[in-house]
Amino acid sequence: MAAPGEPCEGPGVWNQTEPMPATAHLLSLCFLKTAGVWVPPLYLWVIGPIYLLYIHHHGKGYLRMSPLFKAKMVLGFALIILCTSSVSVALWRIQQGTPQASEFLIHPTVWLTTMSFAVFLIHAERKQGVRASGVLFGYWLFCFLQPATSAAQQALQGGFQSDPFYHLTAYLCLSLVVAQFVLFCCTDRPPFFPKDPQQSNPCPEAGASFPSKAMFWWVSGLVWRGYRTSLGPKDLWSLGRENSSAELVSQLEREWTKNRSVAQRTTKPTADKRRGSRGMEAPETEAFVRQEESKRGPLLRAIWRMFRSTFLLGTLSLIISDVFRFTVPKLLSLFLEFIGDPKAPSWQGYLLAVLMFLSALLQTLFEQQHMYRLKLLQMRLQTAITGLVYRKVLALSSGSRKASAVGDVVNLVSVDVQRLSESIIYLNGLWLPLFWIGICFVYLWQLLGPSALIAIVVFLSLLPVNFLLTKKRNRHQEEQMRQKDSRARLTSCILRNVRMVKSHAWEGAFLDRIMRIRGQELHALKTSSLLFSVSLVSFQVSTFLVALVVFAVHTLVAKDNAMDAEKAFVTLTVLNILNKAQAFLPFSIHSVVQARVSFDRLAAFLCLEEVDPGAMDSCFSKCSAGENCISVREGTFAWSRESPACLRRINLTVPQGCLLAVVGPVGAGKSSLLSALLGELSKEEGSVSIKGPVAYVPQEAWVQNTSLVENVCFGQELDPLWLDRVLEACALWPDVGSSPAGVHTQIGEQGMNLSGGQKQRLSLARAVYRKAAVYLLDDPLAALDAHVTQHVFNQVIGPHGLLQGTTRILVTHTLHVLPQADWIVVLEDGTIAEMGSYQQLLRGKGALVGLLDRASQPGERGGEAAPTGGTKDLRGSAGGRGPTSGQERPMMLVPEKDSTTSEAQKGVLLDDPEGAGRPTGQDSVQYGRVQAAVYLTYLRAVGIPLCLYALFLFLCQQVASFCRGYWLSLWADDPTVDGRQMQAAMRGWVFGLLGCLQAIGLFASMATVLLGGIRASSMLFRQLLWDVAQSPIGFFEQTPIGNLLNRFSKETDIVDVDIPDKLRSLLIYALGLLEVSLVVTVVTPLAVVALLPLLLLYAGFQSLYVASSCQLKRLESARHSFVCSHVAETFQGSAVVRAFRAQDLFVAQNDAYVDERQRASFPRLVADRWLAANLELLGNGLVFVAAVCAVQSKAHLSAGLVGFSVSAALQVTQTLQWAVRSWTDLESSIVSVERMKDYAWTPKEAPWRLPTCAARPPWPHRGQIEFRDFGLRYRPELPLAVRGVSFRIHAGEKDPILFPGSLRMNLDMLHEHTDEAIWAALETVQLRALVASLPGQLHYECASQGDELSVGQKQLLCLARALLRKTQILILDEATAAVDPGTELQMQAALGSWFAQCTVLLIAHRLRSVMDCARVLVMDKGQVAESGSPAQLLAQKGLFYRLAQESGLV
């Protein structure tokens, strides 16, 4: 190893008494050589042992001896030999009597031991599979300083002949260190026996070199691919095991379970102790302890124990970054001192330029590593929490599910998890800015003395102002959110019930309501935007305000305090850091407070009651013949631990192969009995046992958003022959055969493309395919017509069906199938009233006979199928309701649909060849760059003059900013006379005036952009609302409601808030970059030579990043939708999943969905770091260019101009990346404008009001209806659903939807009636007492769909609305489908009295409902088959007669 040519000694080396510049001390060759000798050993001996322990516990396999490893070892041993020779020569010379300085012996010895340790680390890394070493990379980088200094010094001094050994060792050491450094820039081969399995498309990070990892160059291949072509799933890397759901969720679940069990054990003794010491306060104390400790505490500890190492390592990177952040102002001070010293050698200036560049570069590298690690932690935390929530969904008890709506659970996954994970970045912002403020104060005190106190006072005085502005803005934001939620609820209700709105011609009234709410929303947004502009201006100009006050006090008040370049521009640099601290602290507090709310919500959800695994004893082995498969003894059950019992003293045994029918009135507990058998209820007493696998058909059919065959197989292997038999028996083959995709037809979300009957038969087919031993069937025949009911019962459930020989419990209202049951249980009020065979119960004349007697009375529920929809008959006719209310019964007065109509109504996938085989409900996905026409559309909505005015204002404020900086440089260069500057007062006034002009221009420009954005949003929303409202019914039948709601919620919100904000940011950052380029060019024209390549590189990075980032963001958003949909789907069908014991299957599916989302999230977060690191590298390069050019032009440049140029360049490092990100975010957001214009070109209805009809009297006059050769089809490409229909309905021949708003609004939508008239109508339908008991009475606010009222009450309210309208024609579409018999009698009485003179069209599945009609129209195959009174049609014994037979009426 080379030793210094001259030892560091002499009286002038560290003489602090002489007034020498700081650069003379810090940049002396002696100091540099000393640092070069001792820094590398200290670095390696401090970091090395920790690193050695780390790789020992995180080994990745064994590396073979590659040529790269051998070269490293050879160079390492060569350096050891060189250091040994230096020590030996020094000892030899001492022995020979030649005096040697101690450093000639100590330094080589230290390096010898350190080099030996480095060689040992090289060998240890190979054994542990380390392919690229960051620790040794840093070591060799530090080692470069000492031999480089020694070699340079010896080359300048000469004297090779006098001491050739030390000259040769210096040059040889430098060469070996450089060669070793180059080798450590490469990466080694992969491990020979890797611990992790090989992946199809592994992440290139593992094989990247350390410089590539530090600058994130390893992602460049993906970014380049995204620039050239569209990225797809095949281009995304496979997730590593450490990032997979299976690994992360299992770890968090273990920690969560362990910490929760510990908390539960410690809570009870504490509560008992407090109960004993505080008496009556114990319940409140216990509840508080349970809430704080048992919910938040265990989850927080679990997360901390799992992720603390990553978080702490990221925090350490941030602290190191801040060390270099505060090094830059000091180096700038030294540089400006060098510029002001004409005697300083040029090499010091170049060295300071290099040091500023390296400090800024290291700050960038460590800050980006901090961001990368915490962003990775965010992703992992999001994965782990999402998986934990999903597993909780699968375990929720029935009571917990009722307490948590599906929307709440989706919000937990999409909002709360996201908010919690995003807060990770801001946790260090709670304490780190306080240290920033302290360090900045020390810097300012060194520069300005006591005047620095003024800076702290001004900053502290600005904090309350900003907090007040934030508080007021939050209040207006909350008001905007309330109005937005109100608008969203109303819009959703209108879209879901658009058929009713259009039938009543209420479009105009509802559009006015929406626009009124929208106006209030935009007013709150406008106020919030103005406050936001003031807040932004206060943050932007706070640096100027503090500088103005400090400079004024420093120069005008104190004596002998002249302004110079160092004080001016170093102060500005420090104040910029202080300003970031001021902005970061309140933002971090706000983010963490929001995250705490989300965290509490997540913790509360995870602590909800779960299904008791001991509520039911299950045995998977099938029971033998004659053995009891189901046994319930003294069972008492409740829906939750707090609710009263719903089933009491149940004793029931069901032998193998028995068909048990469960009947009873509504609310008797039939469904509760099946839930108890499944273990879904809380067992209070008794026991339940089931032997054999169970299959379950719920009362409300649950289907998955996947293909038909996957719905039926439900995770089991495909058996084509058995699948054919199941589909045939469940009457699904006609549906399957009509679709080109066959069994691979995709089922839409919540079965949106299936009718109610199709969903129920699909649910039944899933259970039948299971080949279980026990079948629990909860009213599976309710949605089927009479003839299909008979087919399904005979082919599937009955004694000769596919399920013969299995144990079946059938809950049913279809009483005519009871004679075929082996055993019947009658439930009343949660208890078994009687049970036995059908004949036994008839002879006993008990509860069953009473049920049959009530069913036979007119108007009561009889032996016909339940009237909640229909299904396909054996010929392929589909009955029942489709996705939209009333969509499938345009004209029918009988309970059955004709086959032609049914063929046209199988839903989007079953009747549309172009749509078959792909998922429904998918929205349009944008690819490639956004077209310029979209930007032009938005700018036109803003207004071209307003856009030009905003651009002019931005240019004006940027010119003011440039002039302010230039003026400060002139102030700093003013000559000093007797310690004072003569023009200080004038300089200060002009500086303040320019700053005020900039602040006014900044506020005006930002306010103009934000208000222009609100104007554009208002116009685009109004156009979207008009386009949708004027669309015909067919448009709503083909367009999923979710797509429309997405336009009115998410896309509107993006246009409201995101686009103006991103446009504002883009203009600020782009013009700021333009100002810095102008400053550097004006001050040092030579910098243009280097500035142009930097700008070209900047443009290249920008193009690459924008193209790839937008595509990755779209892929991530699409996959996030799958995650949310799967969570919602599982929440709704969790009872079915548990019944089929398919939890593991669904957990694997959810993990796969989350991993697919993270496969897109991970490249995007790495691409963000790639952009930030490389653009900040370009910014640091700009700083270096400005400094080097200043050194070269030192002779004719003033210190003020140099300070202006370099300080401006220092501020541009982050401006570069934020300009690109703003452009990227703007391009991603502007797509919403295109999506809001999607429906501008769809077909529209005729005008709602014709000018020629304005003066005509009200229509209709009498209510006569006539059809002449009438035909219709649902869409142009479909066959006629009704054809050749001709009939006349004479005048006088004989739905429940509530909208968000008051009851009065729902009853009198157009405000045409008095309160007295409304009360009279309510009294007629016997609802006056109910409404009078409600809070607010007529002004009672209904929920989204009036969910707080029963279906019967809502139908009576709709009837009251019809009474108020006094219409001549009344259409009742299944008006009695879901009401109890008593309510049905009330509605029939109202029809007879109030509508005696009206024409009433009644569409019903219950034939009993039409028996009192004057005339019945029977449709078959789209044509009129029969027409006449019910008595006449029964006498003809035709189609109507056969339907009556199947319904048990004749």
Side-chain angles (χ1 to χ4, degrees), residues 453-487:
L453 293 173
I454 304 299
I456 303 299
V457 172
V458 175
F459 262 116
L460 293 178
S461 64
L462 288 175
L463 279 177
V465 176
N466 289 323
F467 273 113
L468 180 63
L469 288 173
T470 303
K471 186 176 180 180
K472 290 180 68 67
R473 180 173 174 246
N474 287 341
R475 188 162 60 246
H476 287 286
Q477 281 183 320
E478 291 172 359
E479 173 64 21
Q480 181 211 350
M481 293 299 296
R482 282 195 295 270
Q483 297 297 336
K484 183 168 70 173
D485 291 342
S486 177
R487 171 177 60 83

Side-chain angles (χ1 to χ4, degrees), residues 614-635:
M616 183 260 295
D617 299 328
S618 60
C619 177
F620 292 101
S621 60
K622 295 185 178 181
C623 59
S624 57
E627 186 180 359
N628 290 331
C629 284
I630 299 175
S631 176
V632 182
R633 300 185 184 279
E634 297 296 328

Side-chain angles (χ1 to χ4, degrees), residues 1087-1215:
V1088 176
V1089 178
L1091 192 62
L1092 290 178
L1094 289 177
L1095 291 178
L1096 290 176
L1097 287 173
Y1098 168 75
F1101 282 124
Q1102 184 261 355
S1103 299
L1104 291 172
Y1105 174 79
V1106 169
S1108 300
S1109 179
C1110 290
Q1111 296 178 67
L1112 290 171
K1113 188 174 182 179
R1114 288 166 181 164
L1115 289 172
E1116 181 185 3
S1117 299
R1119 279 152 180 76
H1120 180 68
S1121 299
F1122 291 151
V1123 173
C1124 294
S1125 298
H1126 191 246
V1127 171
E1129 188 176 79
T1130 304
F1131 180 84
Q1132 293 166 334
S1134 57
V1136 177
V1137 175
R1138 283 195 295 269
F1140 281 77
R1141 298 291 188 268
Q1143 292 98 319
D1144 292 342
L1145 171 65
F1146 274 73
V1147 165
Q1149 289 178 355
N1150 180 75
D1151 288 350
Y1153 283 132
V1154 174
D1155 287 348
E1156 281 298 310
R1157 179 187 65 185
Q1158 304 303 46
R1159 283 185 64 204
S1161 299
F1162 180 68
R1164 195 166 76 88
L1165 77 85
V1166 179
D1168 288 345
R1169 297 306 104 220
W1170 174 84
L1171 175 75
N1174 287 281
L1175 288 189
E1176 288 194 16
L1177 177 63
L1178 293 182
N1180 298 331
L1182 184 61
V1183 175
F1184 179 73
V1185 168
V1188 169
C1189 292
V1191 173
Q1192 291 180 343
S1193 307
K1194 177 184 175 183
H1196 58 272
L1197 280 182
S1198 65
L1201 286 176
V1202 172
F1204 181 31
S1205 173
V1206 176
S1207 63
L1210 284 172
Q1211 301 305 318
V1212 83
T1213 52
Q1214 293 189 349
T1215 302

Side-chain angles (χ1 to χ4, degrees), residues 417-430:
V417 172
Q418 182 76 14
R419 188 176 293 170
L420 175 63
S421 63
E422 287 179 349
S423 68
I424 299 296
I425 295 291
Y426 304 104
L427 288 178
N428 288 312
L430 298 178

Side-chain angles (χ1 to χ4, degrees), residues 41-364:
L42 288 174
Y43 164 81
L44 194 62
W45 285 107
V46 171
I47 302 295
I50 303 174
Y51 175 66
L52 193 63
L53 184 65
Y54 173 81
I55 63 174
H56 177 71
H57 288 91
H58 297 82
K60 298 180 180 179
Y62 176 84
L63 297 182
R64 289 173 292 182
M65 287 190 178
S66 63
L68 180 63
F69 169 76
K70 294 176 182 178
K72 290 178 181 178
M73 295 297 289
V74 168
L75 292 178
F77 282 115
L79 284 167
I80 291 175
I81 294 172
L82 188 63
C83 293
T84 304
S85 63
S86 297
V87 173
S88 301
V89 169
L91 291 173
W92 178 78
R93 288 183 175 180
I94 292 174
Q95 188 178 10
Q96 295 296 321
T98 304
Q100 297 288 314
S102 58
E103 61 191 67
F104 282 85
L105 183 62
I106 295 175
H107 292 175
T109 304
V110 172
W111 272 55
L112 174 62
T113 57
T114 306
M115 287 292 176
S116 302
F117 185 42
V119 172
F120 175 75
L121 282 180
I122 295 174
H123 175 69
E125 286 179 337
R126 183 182 69 87
K127 300 287 286 185
Q128 299 299 328
V130 178
R131 302 172 61 185
S133 175
V135 171
L136 290 178
F137 178 90
Y139 171 71
W140 297 118
L141 183 62
F142 284 133
C143 287
F144 175 78
L145 178 61
Q146 195 276 335
T149 307
S150 297
Q153 182 185 17
Q154 293 181 4
L156 292 174
Q157 292 178 349
F160 179 82
Q161 300 294 334
S162 61
D163 195 352
F165 175 78
Y166 280 123
H167 279 77
L168 289 175
T169 55
Y171 300 144
L172 185 58
C173 181
L174 178 62
S175 302
L176 292 174
V177 169
V178 170
Q180 195 75 290
F181 177 77
V182 171
L183 291 181
F184 274 85
C185 291
C186 304
T187 184
D188 215 329
R189 296 174 180 175
F192 190 62
F193 296 109
K195 293 186 177 181
D196 295 331
Q198 287 293 107
Q199 297 174 325
S200 58
N201 187 15
C203 177
E205 182 183 14
S209 63
F210 180 75
S212 178
K213 290 181 179 179
M215 295 301 297
F216 303 96
W217 290 331
W218 53 271
V219 78
S220 301
L222 182 67
V223 174
W224 176 252
R225 194 180 309 123
Y227 174 75
R228 298 189 63 185
T229 60
S230 296
L231 293 176
K234 66 179 184 304
D235 299 313
L236 304 178
W237 307 312
S238 301
L239 278 182
R241 183 176 57 87
E242 67 279 3
N243 295 325
S244 65
S245 295
E247 180 73 16
L248 293 169
V249 181
S250 61
Q251 291 182 24
L252 184 60
E253 194 171 22
R254 283 195 304 270
E255 293 290 342
W256 159 249
T257 304
K258 180 172 65 177
N259 284 280
R260 189 182 178 190
S261 60
V262 171
Q264 289 173 344
R265 287 198 301 268
T266 57
T267 299
K268 190 176 185 303
T270 305
D272 292 341
K273 182 177 179 181
R274 297 188 181 191
R275 184 181 295 111
S277 61
R278 300 191 179 185
M280 294 301 293
E281 295 182 5
E284 290 80 7
T285 305
E286 184 178 358
F288 177 80
V289 171
R290 183 169 60 250
Q291 178 182 358
E292 294 298 320
E293 295 296 329
S294 298
K295 293 185 179 180
R296 183 189 305 151
L299 183 60
L300 185 61
R301 285 191 293 270
I303 293 174
W304 172 249
R305 290 178 181 177
M306 183 174 172
F307 297 110
R308 59 187 173 188
S309 59
T310 305
F311 179 77
L312 292 176
L313 189 60
T315 302
L316 179 62
S317 299
L318 181 60
I319 293 173
I320 298 175
S321 170
D322 286 339
V323 171
F324 291 107
R325 185 192 308 275
F326 286 102
T327 302
V328 171
K330 187 63 179 177
L331 291 174
L332 176 62
S333 177
L334 295 176
F335 185 76
L336 294 178
E337 183 180 320
F338 159 79
I339 294 294
D341 183 8
K343 297 180 181 180
S346 297
W347 68 265
Q348 290 187 350
Y350 291 118
L351 180 60
L352 283 171
V354 172
L355 290 177
M356 276 195 295
F357 172 76
L358 290 177
S359 296
L361 176 62
L362 290 173
Q363 176 197 340
T364 295

Side-chain angles (χ1 to χ4, degrees), residues 10 30 162 201 277 330 376 506 674 705 711 718 756 821 842 919 923 940 989 1027 1077 1093 1122 1127 1174 1217 1236:
C30 183
S162 61
N201 187 15
S277 61
K330 187 63 179 177
L376 195 60
W506 285 341
L674 297 189
N705 185 17
N711 265 280
L718 177 62
L842 286 183
D923 211 347
R940 286 173 178 168
W989 279 107
D1027 290 337
S1077 303
F1122 291 151
V1127 171
N1174 287 281
Q1217 61 160 314
M1236 290 182 73

